[in-house]
């Protein structure tokens, strides 16, 4: 190794050491130290962000996703009943008792479960997205006029 290459490596090493100690590399062990109070204060939610949170007592969109996602739910509504599997990717497989099956899409909003269905022999037009209020706890929830129970 010649002197020019060795000098360049020393400069690069000193520069990297300085950047690491200043927290430029976020994955460095030094960055896992406690966050200084000023930075911690800056990370607190702003008034705008807190206004977007679900009202007290209402399920947030994140809570609804966690409750529904990846599970099969038995449901009963005034006209029909059946079972729906809500996949993590926002798709759904819907079985309507005595009618057949179809697919659909779902998503969550604060306080609401939004669903649409694809056309099926028993529902030739499918259904556009409808958002319905969701509330409850444990293994039983109300979604609009329907009752959902964990299958």
């Amino acid at each position: 190794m010649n002197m020019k290459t060795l000098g360049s490596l020393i400069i690069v090493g000193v520069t990297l050491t300085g950047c690491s100690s200043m927290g430029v590399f976020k994955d460095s062990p030094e960055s896992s130290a406690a966050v200084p109070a000023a930075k911690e204060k800056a990370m607190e939610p702003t008034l705008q962000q807190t206004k977007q949170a679900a009202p007290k007592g209402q399920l947030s969109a994140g809570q609804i996703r966690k409750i529904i996602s990846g599970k099969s739910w038995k449901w009963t509504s005034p006209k029909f009943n059946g079972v729906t599997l809500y996949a993590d990717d926002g798709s759904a497989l819907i079985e309507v008792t005595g009618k057949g099956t179809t697919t659909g899409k779902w998503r969550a909003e604060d306080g609401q479960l939004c669903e649409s269905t694809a056309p099926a022999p028993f529902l030739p037009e499918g259904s556009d997205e409808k958002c319905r209020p969701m509330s409850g706890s444990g293994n039983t929830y109300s979604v609009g006029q329907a009752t959902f129970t964990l299958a």
Side-chain angles (χ1 to χ4, degrees), residues 117-128:
T117 56
F122 61 91
L123 189 63
E125 306 270 326
S127 69
D128 292 334

Side-chain angles (χ1 to χ4, degrees), residues 55-101:
K56 187 175 180 179
Q58 182 181 40
L59 295 170
S60 71
Q63 289 171 315
I64 293 171
R65 280 190 294 275
K66 186 174 180 181
I67 291 164
I68 294 291
S69 187
K71 298 177 184 104
S72 289
W73 291 87
K74 292 181 189 177
W75 51 268
T76 304
S77 70
K79 292 184 180 181
F80 302 102
N81 60 60
V83 177
T84 300
L85 169 62
Y86 293 92
D88 294 337
D89 67 359
S91 63
L93 178 59
I94 305 149
E95 179 182 354
V96 180
T97 305
K99 300 286 184 182
T101 61

Side-chain angles (χ1 to χ4, degrees), residues 57-59 64 111-112 132-137 140-144 146 148:
Q58 182 181 40
L59 295 170
I64 293 171
Q112 298 187 56
R132 295 178 177 92
M134 181 171 172
S135 61
S137 63
T140 305
Y141 292 86
S142 293
V143 179
F148 281 40

Side-chain angles (χ1 to χ4, degrees), residues 4-150:
K4 186 175 182 180
T5 303
L6 181 59
S8 295
L9 287 175
I10 290 172
I11 290 171
V12 168
V14 170
T15 303
L16 290 176
T17 302
C19 288
S20 178
S21 67
M22 293 183 329
V24 170
F25 300 115
K26 300 296 182 199
D27 293 339
S28 68
E30 292 83 5
S31 69
S32 64
V35 177
K39 283 187 181 178
E40 194 172 296
K41 181 75 174 162
M43 291 168 47
E44 289 179 4
T46 65
L47 182 58
Q48 180 70 16
Q49 291 168 327
T50 54
K51 282 184 180 179
Q52 293 173 356
K56 187 175 180 179
Q58 182 181 40
L59 295 170
S60 71
Q63 289 171 315
I64 293 171
R65 280 190 294 275
K66 186 174 180 181
I67 291 164
I68 294 291
S69 187
K71 298 177 184 104
S72 289
W73 291 87
K74 292 181 189 177
W75 51 268
T76 304
S77 70
K79 292 184 180 181
F80 302 102
N81 60 60
V83 177
T84 300
L85 169 62
Y86 293 92
D88 294 337
D89 67 359
S91 63
L93 178 59
I94 305 149
E95 179 182 354
V96 180
T97 305
K99 300 286 184 182
T101 61
T102 188
T103 58
K105 295 193 178 292
W106 72 275
R107 66 183 181 84
E109 288 186 3
D110 285 344
Q112 298 187 56
L113 176 63
C114 303
E115 301 175 278
S116 63
T117 56
F122 61 91
L123 189 63
E125 306 270 326
S127 69
D128 292 334
E129 182 181 77
K130 291 184 181 103
C131 296
R132 295 178 177 92
M134 181 171 172
S135 61
S137 63
N139 293 337
T140 305
Y141 292 86
S142 293
V143 179
Q145 295 181 353
T147 300
F148 281 40
T149 307
L150 194 56

